[in-house]
Amino acid sequence: DLLLKQGFEGGIILPLESGNQMIGGFSAWTRHRGSMKPPHRRFISGVGRQLVLALENQRLFERVEQAKSEWESTFDAMDDAVWITDRRGTVKRFNNAFRVRLGLPHDEILGQPAWMLLGVDGEALDFAGSDEIRTGRFRREIEGSRLGGIIEVVATPAPFTLGEPSIVYVARDVTAARE
C-alpha cells in the first residue's frame, strides 16, 4: 500500500540467497505500469547476484580479519622472540617479544637484515644456505646478541610463508640453564 500511495505501479522483489541461506532481499520499483520488461528483470536479477557476491565477500573479509587479529594476539602473547625472514634474511614479520627485547620501534625492525638487528655476525643466522635447514630444523646458541644472554635460536623453513620461501626463527633465553 505504501508504494502504491507513493505512485509506484509495478516492481520486482528478489530474495538474496547464498547457497541455501536467505541473506536479504532486493526490490526495484517503477511508476510506469507495464514498463518492467524481461531485459529489465534480467538486469535487476544480475544486480541481485552482484549484491550477494558483495555481501559474501564482506563476510569473508570480516572472518579473515578476525582470524588475523586472533593469530597476531597469539603470536604476541608468546614470551619467546619470534621473527620470520625471507631467504635473504630480511625480517618480514615478528612478534612483540622480539620488538621489546631489541628495544626498537616496529618501523626500525621491518625490512632489516636479522643479523644486523641482533648485532651478530651474519653467519650466525645464515641458516638459509645450510644443509640442516633444508632437512628440517636448525639449532644454534648465540651469545652477545642484542636479545641479551645466551639465546638458543631454532630456525624452521616455512615454504611460501608470506608468498615466498621463508624461515621462522624462535629465540629462547637459555642463560640460566647454562650457568
Side-chain angles (χ1 to χ4, degrees):
D1 286 343
L2 179 63
L3 291 170
L4 292 174
K5 288 179 186 177
Q6 297 295 321
F8 290 100
E9 297 287 330
I12 184 171
I13 300 173
L14 297 172
L16 299 179
E17 298 175 311
S18 176
N20 293 329
Q21 182 182 8
M22 174 75 100
I23 61 172
F26 176 69
S27 64
W29 297 88
T30 180
R31 288 192 160 95
H32 307 287
R33 185 178 296 272
S35 66
M36 191 73 70
K37 305 286 185 210
H40 300 116
R41 289 188 186 105
R42 283 192 298 274
F43 174 77
I44 292 168
S45 292
V47 169
R49 285 190 298 276
Q50 292 301 313
L51 285 172
V52 168
L53 288 174
L55 290 169
E56 287 174 338
N57 285 340
Q58 177 62 32
R59 287 180 176 173
L60 178 60
F61 179 77
E62 289 170 359
R63 285 196 307 266
V64 168
E65 281 297 309
Q66 178 161 350
K68 178 181 179 276
S69 177
E70 290 170 1
W71 174 247
E72 287 172 348
S73 293
T74 301
F75 195 52
D76 282 339
M78 295 175 65
D79 289 332
D80 294 338
V82 180
W83 66 98
I84 301 171
T85 70
D86 61 16
R87 63 176 179 244
R88 293 170 299 284
T90 303
V91 175
K92 297 296 185 179
R93 189 163 283 168
F94 53 91
N95 72 348
N96 195 50
F98 185 66
R99 183 191 62 74
V100 168
R101 291 185 70 186
L102 286 177
L104 296 172
H106 183 275
D107 293 345
E108 291 182 25
I109 299 171
L110 197 62
Q112 298 299 316
W115 65 268
M116 185 183 79
L117 291 167
L118 294 170
V120 297
D121 182 337
E123 291 182 17
L125 292 176
D126 184 19
F127 298 145
S130 74
D131 288 333
E132 293 97 332
I133 198 69
R134 282 194 274 286
T135 60
R137 291 182 159 180
F138 185 86
R139 291 181 188 276
R140 185 171 292 157
E141 286 187 5
I142 300 173
E143 289 187 59
S145 78
R146 287 193 183 128
L147 294 179
I150 302 170
I151 303 298
E152 179 185 59
V153 178
V154 177
T156 306
F160 300 105
T161 299
L162 308 174
E164 65 177 316
S166 303
I167 299 175
V168 178
Y169 296 86
V170 178
R172 174 169 289 149
D173 187 346
V174 294
T175 305
R178 300 297 183 262
E179 293 178 344

